[in-house]
Amino acid sequence: METVVIGVRGSHLAQAMVREYLASLVPCPVIRFKTRTITTDGDRDRKSPLSEVGGDGAFSSRLEEELLAGRIDVAVHSLKDLPTSMPPALALATTPPRADMRDALCGSTLAALRPGARVGTGSPRRIAQLKALRPDLDIVPIRGNVPPRLRRLETGLDAVVLAAAGLRRLGLEDQIADLLPLEDFPPSPGQGALGVQIRAADTELREMLSSVGDPVADAAVRAERALLAELHGGCSVPVGAYAVPAEGRGLRLSAQVTSLDGSHKVVANAFGRDPEALGAQLAATLVMSGAEHILREIRATV
């Protein structure tokens, strides 16, 4: 029996994601799947800003190293944590069915937050989007796994922002007080989706894993990641984007680039059938509409 080793981070959420993925694989009598836990830079340091502990690869580069070295055969990532640029020897299998892409507010609804309420999040995108809608809020930087961030509600925070998909995967859906609207809070490209990464040369394994993929979800995240790549964005850049099927028009891709203080934002939408071309097209529209000025200012500060 052939054994396929799947690498995954040690957090409860990462372990829940790989269990979800393993449950979707069609049982195969000649293949046994085995998981191996790998500690990433982002896991070792849960306090410093991500830009200081590995940047865009904080949660993925160690897994990629193990994959390239042949110590694992598959790496399962939260797709939003996987940089758009990857080593040429690696590839992504077709994206599995996507979970809820929205952000969730825990502790209070957005409308019920008092003026000056203290809201916790470590994401520059979420900070910028909150400030754009509610400049009165006091944003408190927080990092860490989901349960410790939720416990901050007991020690002075009025609310915290987390990914709805992560809460649901951990059985913490009852902690969601408000699902933030996509129009005002477009998520990180790929949010809610799993990234199944393999060696590009393992074509047979890629074909097998792609058989449980979702072509609709795959096209959507490819468009979102293409846009992010064109904007040279990452974890420190507040770019939100999401794609959904548009009947008769392929995909509708919506995106927003917001200044860190929330004072300026550029929003645009586009339709198309080729995900990568659509992402590049919308990125160009955002740049022409003023996004490049916002991004240039942000990069000068990070």
Side-chain angles (χ1 to χ4, degrees):
M1 177 181 290
E2 181 182 351
T3 298
V4 172
V5 182
I6 300 180
V8 62
R9 293 169 50 212
S11 71
H12 291 308
L13 178 54
Q15 296 290 324
M17 290 192 303
V18 82
R19 286 194 298 271
E20 173 187 312
Y21 183 60
L22 285 170
S24 73
L25 295 174
V26 178
C28 180
V30 297
I31 293 179
R32 180 170 69 96
F33 293 97
K34 175 184 176 182
T35 61
R36 180 177 170 218
T37 299
I38 296 165
T39 302
T40 67
D41 293 339
D43 295 315
R44 289 191 181 92
D45 185 341
R46 283 291 185 175
K47 295 183 178 179
S48 304
L50 285 178
S51 59
E52 298 177 9
V53 288
D56 294 345
F59 294 116
S60 61
S61 59
R62 188 80 178 93
L63 286 160
E64 290 185 328
E65 290 170 10
E66 295 295 295
L67 194 52
L68 288 167
R71 289 186 285 268
I72 62 174
D73 303 299
V74 182
V76 174
H77 307 269
S78 174
L79 190 56
K80 69 181 179 62
D81 294 332
L82 185 64
T84 55
S85 175
M86 69 175 72
L90 301 181
L92 286 172
T94 304
T95 305
R98 188 179 198 175
D100 195 332
M101 69 178 77
R102 292 172 292 182
D103 283 331
L105 197 64
C106 303
S108 172
T109 64
L110 189 62
L113 283 173
R114 61 180 174 82
R118 304 180 76 232
V119 180
T121 176
S123 161
R125 173 188 60 81
R126 289 170 177 156
I127 293 171
Q129 291 173 352
L130 282 167
K131 287 184 174 180
L133 205 62
R134 288 285 304 271
D136 62 289
L137 296 177
D138 178 13
I139 310 299
V140 180
I142 59 171
R143 278 198 60 219
N145 292 328
V146 171
R149 282 189 275 176
L150 285 173
R151 286 197 290 272
R152 294 291 298 272
L153 295 172
E154 303 167 8
T155 58
L157 292 185
D158 296 285
V160 296
V161 187
L162 296 164
L167 290 162
R168 292 196 167 107
R169 283 172 170 140
L170 290 171
L172 296 170
E173 186 172 1
D174 61 342
Q175 297 295 310
I176 298 175
D178 204 3
L179 288 168
L180 299 178
L182 290 170
E183 294 74 19
D184 297 314
F185 296 89
S188 295
Q191 184 161 301
L194 302 183
V196 180
Q197 194 177 34
I198 59 170
R199 289 179 289 274
D202 292 342
T203 53
E204 187 175 348
L205 179 60
R206 181 177 184 177
E207 183 177 348
M208 185 192 72
L209 296 178
S210 291
S211 68
V212 299
D214 180 348
V216 175
D218 190 69
V221 299
R222 282 164 50 203
E224 294 164 17
R225 285 170 58 81
L227 176 137
L228 188 64
E230 287 292 325
L231 294 177
H232 306 290
C235 64
S236 61
V237 178
V239 175
Y242 66 98
V244 293
E247 188 173 353
R249 305 182 72 179
L251 291 170
R252 175 172 66 85
L253 179 60
S254 303
Q256 177 178 306
V257 179
T258 314
S259 62
L260 291 176
D261 63 1
S263 61
H264 299 91
K265 67 179 179 181
V266 178
V267 181
N269 301 273
F271 294 85
R273 299 184 183 280
D274 182 313
E276 284 76 19
L278 177 60
Q281 172 194 337
L282 189 57
T285 299
L286 288 166
V287 168
M288 289 188 294
S289 300
E292 182 58 33
H293 176 70
I294 295 174
L295 294 171
R296 192 181 304 117
E297 286 188 342
I298 292 170
R299 293 188 186 106
T301 64
V302 297

